[in-house]
Amino acid sequence: MNSRPETGKTLLSAEEIADLPRAGLWRRIAALLYDMFLVAAIWMSLGFVLQLLFGPGTSELVEGEVQTDPVVSRVMLFMMVTSAAAFYIGFWRKTGQTLGMIAWRIRVLGTDNRPLDVKAGLSRFFLAWPAFWLLGLGYLWMYVDPQRDAAHERLSGSKTVLLPKHARPF
């Protein structure tokens, strides 16, 4: 264990990382909720940029429903998906943790205990959506899986571990 004298926090050794337990469901959900606010702020900023580019006249109220230009809708959907993917995959590749994961002391790693590569990150990101939206069944798989991995983790070759209190985030 390597210690930093100025903080008292430690870096984890490879052996310690390999022995870390899987994170529980409620910690994962709490981290997702925390990160949801960050991603929503990114999406609001992107929406503002789209309003500057296309102008405010791209939506209108028709019989009580907001009708948006189909091109703008598709551009916004593309921007939302790619920005969310970049947010998660960027953090997973660099430190294994988003801000919400740091707050809840969890980290995403490959099954080889290394940071995720782009392929594994993309796979994890896009498989997590149906795991969540299909009544959370992909996450509930944790209670059946012998290693306590969610379905999207098992399929993407990743895992979410619980960090000890003494470990520093990066």
Side-chain angles (χ1 to χ4, degrees), residues 47-154:
F48 179 72
V49 170
L50 276 181
Q51 288 293 309
L52 290 176
L53 292 175
F54 291 101
T58 58
S59 299
E60 61 183 349
L61 191 61
V62 178
E63 296 179 14
E65 282 190 38
V66 176
Q67 302 287 324
T68 304
D69 183 303
V71 172
V72 175
S73 291
R74 286 185 180 93
V75 168
M76 188 63 192
L77 177 62
F78 176 77
M79 289 173 72
M80 290 171 74
V81 171
T82 55
S83 64
F87 173 85
Y88 281 102
I89 296 166
F91 279 108
W92 292 339
R93 288 194 67 224
K94 185 162 178 74
T95 64
Q97 295 176 286
T98 61
L99 195 55
M101 293 171 140
I102 291 170
W104 288 95
R105 292 189 359 257
I106 60 178
R107 178 178 288 161
V108 170
L109 298 167
T111 52
D112 60 358
N113 297 321
R114 302 175 97 184
L116 297 185
D117 60 14
V118 174
K119 181 181 176 186
L122 282 168
S123 177
R124 179 185 170 91
F125 178 80
F126 285 108
L127 289 169
W129 286 94
F132 183 81
W133 289 112
L134 293 173
L135 304 174
L137 292 175
Y139 281 90
L140 294 175
W141 179 257
M142 294 171 46
Y143 296 110
V144 177
D145 189 79
Q147 294 181 329
R148 297 203 53 209
D149 288 329
H152 63 282
E153 294 174 319
R154 179 65 70 180

Side-chain angles (χ1 to χ4, degrees), residues 21-25 27-28 105-106 142 148 160-162:
R22 300 301 202 263
L25 179 62
R27 271 185 194 273
R28 295 172 190 226
R105 292 189 359 257
I106 60 178
M142 294 171 46
R148 297 203 53 209
T160 304
V161 295
L162 176 61

Side-chain angles (χ1 to χ4, degrees), residues 158-169:
S158 64
K159 62 183 180 178
T160 304
V161 295
L162 176 61
L163 298 173
K165 290 184 180 179
H166 69 273
R168 65 185 181 110

Side-chain angles (χ1 to χ4, degrees), residues 1-4 9-21 107 109 112-115 159 161-164 166-169:
M1 200 177 332
N2 302 326
S3 181
R4 293 186 62 195
K9 295 184 178 184
T10 59
L11 292 171
L12 297 175
S13 68
E15 296 82 27
E16 288 175 306
I17 290 173
D19 293 335
L20 291 174
R107 178 178 288 161
L109 298 167
D112 60 358
N113 297 321
R114 302 175 97 184
K159 62 183 180 178
V161 295
L162 176 61
L163 298 173
H166 69 273
R168 65 185 181 110

